[in-house]
Amino acid sequence: AVEEGSEYLEKVRKLLEELRLCPGLRTAVFTVPHFRLSVDVPIKLDTDDDDATDLKLQEACVRKAEGTEDNSTIRAANHTEIEQRLITGLPEKSTDQSSVMGRCPDCAGKNYPAAMSKHLRKCFKQGSTIDKNGTALDCGPTGHVLAICVVDLSLADHVAAQTDATATTTSAP
């Protein structure tokens, strides 16, 4: 699955390079989200709506990155980025005790009238694959989840990071 994701990202990179040849898109900046860390976040869907829950995920990422070079650019990934595996370096499975949860849009799970947003959230439970097949619809209403924290790298920085990672892997003993 990792090779499949890398192959997909390579196709996207080539497509984006070709798009730069289109008139008017020369100054467009394309970015690729890169996994940096995950952080534990308490949630309470019975008192927090989707916006408040998303803010908790975002603030947890920013707090965890304080004092690092990512501090000003880190953000919590949204559910679709996680589910579609659009994040470079995203782990294959959820191995922590907590479920992985992304920000909205497309975060709504099963109906749950007692929740402020009237639904539970989508997530990836412990041991499940972090992809469309691993999506659960019944996360919440209270407990702890993991926010996936990412930074968006420009296409040029993404390619450089991939080149550096390949060089490090091939030169290892």
Side-chain angles (χ1 to χ4, degrees):
V2 171
E3 293 153 359
E4 195 174 286
S6 295
E7 185 177 308
Y8 173 76
L9 286 173
E10 182 62 24
K11 288 178 182 177
V12 170
R13 184 184 67 78
K14 286 180 181 178
L15 173 65
L16 293 175
E17 287 174 355
E18 290 174 10
L19 280 173
R20 287 184 169 215
L21 301 175
C22 296
L25 288 181
R26 185 166 300 277
T27 59
V29 176
F30 298 103
T31 61
V32 178
H34 279 244
F35 175 79
R36 286 298 196 249
L37 53 96
S38 57
V39 60
D40 182 76
V41 182
I43 60 163
K44 291 185 176 188
L45 301 181
D46 51 349
T47 58
D48 293 338
D49 65 10
D50 285 337
D51 289 339
T53 301
D54 288 352
L55 184 61
K56 283 183 176 181
L57 298 172
Q58 176 63 25
E59 288 176 343
C61 286
V62 171
R63 269 193 311 277
K64 186 77 172 188
E66 278 182 18
T68 71
E69 65 184 45
D70 295 332
N71 187 33
S72 64
T73 58
I74 201 155
R75 65 176 177 82
N78 68 48
H79 177 78
T80 304
E81 289 175 311
I82 299 168
E83 183 179 73
Q84 297 299 318
R85 299 204 52 83
L86 300 176
I87 302 165
T88 300
L90 183 66
E92 289 287 318
K93 286 188 164 205
S94 175
T95 57
D96 197 89
Q97 295 295 324
S98 300
S99 299
V100 171
M101 182 179 286
R103 292 181 304 127
C104 296
D106 194 33
C107 65
K110 290 182 178 180
N111 287 337
Y112 187 76
M116 286 295 287
S117 294
K118 306 298 181 209
H119 61 81
L120 296 174
R121 300 272 294 239
K122 292 179 181 177
C123 72
F124 307 89
K125 293 190 176 182
Q126 179 189 21
S128 70
T129 57
I130 301 177
D131 59 18
K132 192 166 186 78
N133 295 326
T135 301
L137 303 175
D138 60 349
C139 297
T142 60
H144 287 254
V145 297
L146 288 178
I148 296 295
C149 307
V150 300
V151 294
D152 293 315
L153 296 183
S154 70
L155 190 55
D157 290 342
H158 164 72
V159 170
Q162 294 299 98
T163 302
D164 289 347
T166 302
T168 302
T169 303
T170 57
S171 65

